[in-house]
Amino acid sequence: MAGSDDEKGPKSVVQSGAEIVGESAALKEVLEIAQIVARSNAPVLLRGESGTGKEFFAKLIHKSSSRREKPFVKLNCAALSTGVLESELFGHVAGAFTGAVASKAGRFEMANGGTLLLDEIGEISGEFQAKLLRVLQEGELERVGGTRTLKVNVRLVCATNKDLERAVAAGEFRADLYYRINVVPITLPPLRQRDGDIPRLAEEFLERFNRENGRSLSFAPSALDILAKCEFPGNIRELQNCVQRTATLARSSVIDPQDVACEQGRCYSAILRKAVAEKIGKGANGLARDETVSMGLSHDAAAFAPETAIGQSGLIDRERLEQAMVTAGWVQAKAARLLGRTPRQVAYSLRRHGIKPKKF
């Protein structure tokens, strides 16, 4: 699945109005790598904490490549069963299974000639890993229930916030698939490492809010100073939510410090972090601002580290399990990442403890 290199140099997107906004050295470094990588067809693995903008970087790579006129197709692999994932990626023929009333092209076919983003690649089952590896190696597939072999030519970009090296060592992720997708790894910096970018992003999000709502709000410098000091463990996504919430509840056309949630004791991220820290005995202050987490795991993931959550029998502690499920919104795949375990282990522990998953 290869093609010719792009001869045209990609343009910078570090500007207001672009999907990627910022001027920090950390951001510029990964942007430069992404733009260089875009000129080839090598598989890319985007790594980093949740909310760091992996999908935007995948789009940047696509738009900066020779495949820019072809489709950009994405699929989130988290919480999808092997059967559903196989149908979504490879497609199916009519009558392949109950409900398959018509043939359907899969994401590989839809992305032919272009770029395919597989998000949450670390969550796919061992069974499907083998099927995916075959397609990547041979560049061909059959739809579910079909017999005709289809050739596909896609540029693969995968994304994950999971420690794949640990997963490979534990036998949860195939080493051969790991080497196939990890040709060019790019680790995106968390927002707390992007010096000076929080005010730029906050103003960009406020500008978007104004356009969408017919408003003309602005930040007082003191309000931006407060935001710049926040950790935002949810990274860009959390900052965007914070700006939207603040703008919606602002008392005047100028957003002052008293409008910011953390000044009112209503920062839910801080409340959650404090609750998690108290649960595991780290104290009321939670994680310090400069405390680092290895392998790109989020602060919440560190709070649920395996050594604190797993008993001697290998069964996940009930209290830790329930806390992780609540934090993850009762999505088992997300809870597994917080606990540093597999979705299968989470499901097993839920059954053993007699905990019934809640549906929303």
Side-chain angles (χ1 to χ4, degrees):
M1 293 187 288
S4 61
D5 290 354
D6 185 20
E7 299 297 333
K8 299 179 181 179
K11 298 179 181 179
S12 173
V13 295
V14 193
Q15 56 188 355
S16 179
E19 290 183 324
I20 301 175
V21 177
E23 291 288 347
S24 65
L27 178 63
K28 288 183 177 179
E29 181 180 352
V30 292
L31 274 170
E32 181 180 4
I33 295 173
Q35 292 172 337
I36 292 174
V37 169
R39 300 171 190 170
S40 76
N41 287 285
V44 177
L45 179 62
L46 297 173
R47 312 188 69 163
E49 298 177 10
S50 178
T52 49
K54 292 185 279 292
E55 182 178 332
F56 291 137
F57 271 84
K59 289 180 179 178
L60 169 65
I61 292 171
H62 173 71
K63 292 178 180 179
S64 301
S65 75
S66 59
R67 297 172 178 262
R68 64 174 71 87
E69 301 300 327
K70 298 295 184 178
F72 174 84
V73 180
K74 60 183 179 180
L75 179 67
N76 190 312
C77 302
L80 294 181
S81 67
T82 298
V84 173
L85 194 55
E86 187 174 2
S87 175
E88 286 293 325
L89 278 178
F90 304 153
H92 62 256
V93 299
F97 49 83
T98 302
V101 296
S103 295
K104 175 187 174 183
R107 304 301 171 96
F108 269 101
E109 286 183 72
M110 295 165 60
N112 193 35
T115 303
L116 175 62
L117 168 63
L118 297 183
D119 200 4
E120 306 282 9
I121 189 68
E123 303 304 325
I124 63 176
S125 67
E127 178 185 357
F128 188 74
Q129 289 173 31
K131 296 179 180 180
L132 178 60
L133 179 63
R134 173 183 171 273
V135 175
L136 299 183
Q137 288 177 331
E138 302 177 8
E140 57 185 34
L141 56 85
E142 293 84 35
R143 290 183 179 180
V144 177
T147 58
R148 186 165 64 96
T149 299
L150 304 172
K151 289 283 186 179
V152 289
N153 176 5
V154 303
R155 201 288 175 66
L156 184 69
V157 178
C158 296
T160 186
N161 60 6
K162 186 174 183 177
D163 183 350
L164 291 185
E165 289 76 17
R166 179 182 293 178
V168 170
E172 299 166 359
F173 200 87
R174 292 179 64 108
D176 44 8
L177 179 58
Y178 168 80
Y179 290 119
R180 174 67 62 171
I181 66 175
N182 194 39
V183 177
V184 182
I186 301 177
T187 301
L188 305 187
L191 195 51
R192 61 183 175 276
Q193 293 178 7
R194 292 173 50 178
D195 294 338
D197 281 351
I198 289 179
R200 296 185 183 96
L201 282 162
E203 291 187 317
E204 172 66 20
F205 292 143
L206 184 59
E207 182 179 332
R208 296 179 190 178
F209 177 88
N210 286 337
R211 288 197 303 268
E212 294 169 359
N213 295 275
R215 305 286 296 278
S216 57
L217 301 176
S218 62
F219 279 112
S222 53
L224 285 176
D225 289 341
I226 292 174
L227 292 177
K229 296 175 183 178
C230 294
E231 292 183 6
F232 294 110
N235 294 294
I236 300 170
R237 188 179 299 119
E238 183 183 354
L239 172 59
Q240 183 175 15
N241 291 342
C242 176
V243 171
Q244 289 179 340
R245 180 173 62 248
T246 302
T248 300
L249 299 175
R251 298 174 177 83
S252 67
S253 61
V254 178
I255 297 176
D256 292 315
Q258 59 265 28
D259 294 317
V260 181
C262 57
E263 291 297 288
Q264 305 170 12
R266 296 178 182 176
C267 178
Y268 295 110
S269 176
I271 294 172
L272 174 61
R273 202 160 56 248
K274 179 179 178 180
V276 170
E278 290 175 344
K279 279 284 186 179
I280 64 173
K282 290 182 71 71
N285 291 327
L287 294 168
R289 177 179 176 85
D290 296 327
E291 184 171 350
T292 58
V293 183
S294 64
M295 301 309 298
L297 293 176
S298 66
H299 286 291
D300 287 342
F304 290 106
E307 58 268 23
T308 66
I310 309 300
Q312 293 181 350
S313 65
L315 186 68
I316 303 175
D317 176 77
R318 183 187 181 96
E319 184 177 0
R320 303 286 184 263
L321 178 60
E322 289 181 328
Q323 181 65 39
M325 290 296 292
V326 170
T327 302
W330 290 89
V331 177
Q332 294 184 30
K334 292 182 180 179
R337 288 197 296 274
L338 291 175
L339 293 163
R341 312 303 291 177
T342 66
R344 183 176 299 178
Q345 290 169 323
V346 169
Y348 169 75
S349 297
L350 288 171
R351 291 196 302 270
R352 284 290 303 274
H353 290 303
I355 301 174
K356 294 183 179 180
K358 298 180 180 180
K359 297 182 179 180
F360 296 94

